[in-house]
Amino acid sequence: MNTFLAFYTDIGPALTLLVFGTFLLAGTVKGIIGLGLPTVAVGLLGLAMLPAQAAALLIIPSTVTNLWQLAFGGHLSALVKRLWPMLLLIFLGTGLGTLGLGMGGEHWVVRALGGALLMYALSGLFLPTFQVKPATEHWLGPLCGVITGVITSATGVFVIPAVPYLQALGLNRDQLVQALGLSFTASTLALAAGLAWRGTLGSGELNASVLALAPALLGMWLGQALRERISAVLFKRVFFIGVALLGGHLLIGG
């Protein structure tokens, strides 16, 4: 157990509470609207630690909750056949970004994280829902995949431009939830591989990530329970405003 607790012993009780509270909140957001766990987790933890550390803590909670999300709906095989070029390019884009960029301790990485969060929030608040024509999927999907991978490798945030692209495919609710889970799973595994290659994801970080799973799952359960009691549209708007403020703070103060 000492190895599991070593990371939290090193960072102290205040940061430990921040980690657990962040994953509880991030899981709640994901439970309500089906996305947002990596955005909230990396964004908030980026205020107090390096993005690479925050991304390492994200690996296990993100993987488990995404597998949970994509396991239900009955459209998995069809979505894999349709989206595999984008998923493959997410891996390749993350690999390219890991080689050329990576999440180090430079100030530009924190500003890049802030910029990615701000761009995601503004797109969610103001951009209309686009419609992707089937004829363009064969090149637009891979392009979105490689861009998403590069942004993931630099910031730990893997929602731009993958989420707007998937929302523009005209999928029904169940298909979209599964497609998001599939995309996020691919991004998380690619991010884990990139962090491991750079030596940022060792046994200590993985052990710490395992302990972060409990508050994330609790938050996801709470969010699903709250989904029927609150307006998802209003909550999503408040969520995007919060992400925009957080991104702007990191962009300016990073």
Side-chain angles (χ1 to χ4, degrees), residues 123-145:
S123 69
L125 285 170
F126 300 114
L127 284 184
T129 301
F130 296 103
Q131 192 70 32
V132 173
K133 296 179 180 179
T136 64
E137 285 188 43
H138 72 281
W139 64 266
L140 187 57
L143 177 62
C144 289

Side-chain angles (χ1 to χ4, degrees), residues 55-123:
L57 290 174
L58 172 72
I59 298 301
I60 299 300
S62 182
T63 300
V64 173
T65 56
N66 289 328
L67 289 174
W68 178 359
Q69 182 172 330
L70 69 84
F72 301 98
H75 306 285
L76 183 58
S77 61
L79 288 170
V80 170
K81 290 178 182 178
R82 183 175 183 179
L83 299 176
W84 72 264
M86 183 189 81
L87 302 176
L88 176 61
L89 267 295
I90 285 175
F91 272 93
L92 295 178
T94 304
L96 290 173
T98 299
L99 291 173
L101 299 172
M103 287 177 281
E106 299 89 348
H107 288 297
W108 75 264
V109 176
V110 179
R111 291 195 173 96
L113 171 59
L117 294 176
L118 185 60
M119 187 166 49
Y120 173 51
L122 293 178
S123 69

Side-chain angles (χ1 to χ4, degrees), residues 196-254:
W197 185 84
R198 294 185 67 88
T200 312
L201 184 63
S203 59
E205 288 81 9
L206 277 177
N207 289 337
S209 184
V210 169
L211 292 182
L213 175 61
L217 289 178
L218 176 59
M220 195 167 178
W221 176 79
L222 288 172
Q224 290 175 337
L226 289 170
R227 185 185 295 169
E228 303 301 324
R229 299 174 181 269
I230 65 175
S231 167
V233 174
L234 177 60
F235 183 87
K236 188 177 289 188
R237 188 175 297 121
V238 172
F239 165 70
F240 280 128
I241 291 173
V243 170
L245 293 174
L246 177 60
H249 174 75
L250 291 171
L251 184 63
I252 295 171

Side-chain angles (χ1 to χ4, degrees), residues 35-47:
L35 51 84
L37 189 147
T39 310
V40 173
V42 177
L44 286 178
L45 293 178
L47 295 171

